[in-house]
Amino acid sequence: MDKKPIPLASHQNLFVDIHEVLPEEEEGVEERMIKADDKADNNNNNKQHLMMMSNKANKESSARKPHHRSFNRQVSLETGFSVLNSEKKAKEYERKATLTRSGTSLGGANGIHALEGRKKDFSMFKTKSTLSKQNSLLPTRNKEKDHHHQLESQNSNGFGGNQDSVNESVPAGRYFDALRGPELDQVKDSEDILLPKDEKWPFLLRFPIGCFGICLGLSSQVVLWRALSTSPATEFLHITPAINLGLWLLAVTVLIAVTFTYILKCIFYFEAVKREYFHPVRVNFFFAPWVVCMFLAIGVPPKLAPDTLHPAIWCTFMGPYFLLELKIYGQWLSGGKRRLCKVANPSSHLSVVGNFVGAILASKVGWNEPAKFLWAVGFAHYLVVFVTLYQRLPTSEALPKELHPVYSMFIAAPSAASLAWANVYGEFDGLSRTCYFIALFLYVSLVVRINFFTGFRFSVAWWSYTFPMTTASVATIKYAEQVPCVMSKGLALGLSFMSSTMVSVLFVSTLLHAFVWKTLFPNDLAIAITKKKQGKEKKPLKKAYDIKRWTKKALTINNSSVSENKDVAQAS
C-alpha cells in the first residue's frame, strides 16, 4: 500500500482496519501490531516534515476522494473502535469451558477422569499433606526420586496443579461468592467442589466446628438454672439445685466429647480445620470452647466449688480467648480482605460476648480491674459490630428467609454486657439497665415476628441461637431482683420457660437426627470449595484489551499532531 500524506487539519476521520482475531492468526496479529507501533514512532520522528507539508496536504485532500480497500470492517479512531464479536465469542467460550458442578472436576478433563477412579480418596485434606510439604523443604539424598513419587501421587489422586487450592488460604470474599445458607454452608449451583458430593465423607470431615454451639446452649442453661435456684426473685418457685447439678454434668460430658472429636479432626484432617478457620462465619466458633468453659465455671454448683474461684481458672480460659481476639480484631482494624465490613455477620457477636463473660468470671475470682478492661473492650467492639450489621454493609441486601434465625444473635451481647456491669460494680444500675433494655427491645421485636422462625430444616447451627435467649433470661432475673414486682417476675419466668423449651426441643431433635435418622452430620461442602472459580478463560479479552490500547495510542498521536499543526499555522 502506497504511503499518502495524512490530512491533519481536515474534517475527515482517520480509519484503520481491525480484523477479527482468530486463534490461528494470533501470532500474525501481534506482528502487525508491532509494526503499527513502529510506524507510530516513525511518525513522531518525522513530525517536522509533516508540519511543512500540512498546507499542501490539505489542498490535495480537498480535491482527492478518499480511496479505501475492501476491508472487512473500518472504524474511526476519533469516535472509538470496535473489536467485532471477539468479546461476545469470549463469553461463549467461557460458558462452554465452565465446569459442571459434579463434585469431581479438578483441573479440567484430566482431573475428572483421574478422580473418577479414586472417588474415596480424601487425602487432600489430611494432615500428612502439610507434613509432606514441610519435609520437601529439607535436604534429602534422593530428591529426584521423591519428586517423581510426589508427581505420581498427585496424578493418582487427581489433584494435579490444584493442590495449592487446598493448602493455601481461601480469600474471605470467595466464601461469600461460592456459598449460601444460614451459616454459609451450602454451595451455589454455579460452583464446583474439590470432593465428590454423591457419596458419604469420613466422619471427621463431616464434623464441623459449629458443634460447639451445642455446648454453648447447654452451658448457658447451667447458668440460668443456678440463677433460678438461688435468686431471691424466683425463690417462690422452690427450684431444687439438683437441676443445676444435672445440667452441669451433662454439659461437661458433651463438651468433653465434642472437644475430643474435634482434636482428632485437627490431628488427621488439619487442612479441613484451616478451611474452617478462614471461613468468615465459622472462625467465630473458635471462640466458643473458651466461652463454654467460662459459662461452666460461672454456673458451677455450690456443692462442687466455693463462691470465690481461683484466679488460675480465669487465666486458663481467658488467655487463649484473648490471643485469638487480638488476631481477629487486628484483621478487623487493619483492613484488607478480612476487614469488618467484608466479613461481618451475626455470628461475629460470639467474638464479642466472650469479653463480657470473661468480665463476669474475673469479678468472681476477685479481679475487678481486668473485668473492667474486658468490659470496655467488648462494649467498644459491640457498638462497631452492631452498627455494621444494622446497616447490612457486607451484602446491602435484605436477609433471605434462611438467615432469619441469626437475628437472635443481636440479643446476646447487650444482655451479657448488663450482667457483666452488674457483677463488676455490685448493682444493676443505670448502665446495666440501659444495656438490658436494648436487649429486651430486640427480643420483643423478634418475638412479634414469629413467622421469621418457621419452615426451616434442622441444623447443628441452631444451637448457637439458644444461648442469646438464655442470657436475656438471666439478665431479666437480675433486673427482677432490683425491681421486684409482678411484671418483672412474670417476665423473668416467661423468658426462662421459652429458652428452656427451645433447648429441650433442640436436644431431642439432635438425638433423633444423630442416632435414629443418622442425618445430623451431612457432607460439609463449605470446606471443599475451590480457591478460584473454575473454567474461566481470559485470553480473548486480553487480545481485545491490547487492540483497545493500541487504538487509543494511535488516536493520541493523531490529536497531538493536529494541535501542533494549528500552532504552526497560527504562528505563520
Side-chain angles (χ1 to χ4, degrees), residues 20-35:
E20 181 177 5
V21 180
L22 299 177
E24 60 272 8
E25 297 179 354
E26 289 183 355
E27 297 181 357
V29 172
E30 293 179 355
E31 293 178 358
R32 288 196 296 271
M33 290 173 62
I34 295 174
K35 292 180 180 179

Side-chain angles (χ1 to χ4, degrees), residues 46 81 104 155 158 259 271 377 444 456 462 464-465 516 563:
N46 297 328
F81 78 99
T104 59
N155 293 332
T259 303
E271 296 299 330
V377 173
V444 174
F456 308 117
W462 277 67
S464 60
Y465 308 138
V516 179
S563 62

Side-chain angles (χ1 to χ4, degrees), residues 204 207 212 254-265 267:
L204 293 178
F207 191 81
F212 283 101
V254 174
L255 176 61
I256 293 174
V258 173
T259 303
F260 178 75
T261 306
Y262 201 78
I263 289 175
L264 292 179
K265 183 177 181 179
I267 295 174

Side-chain angles (χ1 to χ4, degrees), residues 326-347:
L326 289 176
K327 176 68 175 179
I328 300 301
Y329 288 3
Q331 293 177 351
W332 291 358
L333 181 63
S334 61
K337 296 182 180 180
R338 299 186 184 275
R339 60 185 182 272
L340 184 61
C341 64
K342 288 288 186 180
V343 300
N345 57 86
S347 64

Side-chain angles (χ1 to χ4, degrees), residues 68 82 134 140 253 361:
H68 303 293
S82 173
Q134 294 175 355
T140 55
T253 304
L361 183 59

Side-chain angles (χ1 to χ4, degrees), residues 358-371:
I360 297 174
L361 183 59
S363 64
K364 285 188 173 293
V365 301
W367 288 5
N368 286 332
E369 292 304 316

Side-chain angles (χ1 to χ4, degrees), residues 400-405 451-459 462:
K401 186 176 181 180
E402 292 81 3
L403 284 172
H404 288 168
N451 292 332
F452 269 27
F453 307 97
T454 57
F456 308 117
R457 63 178 180 86
F458 174 80
S459 173
W462 277 67

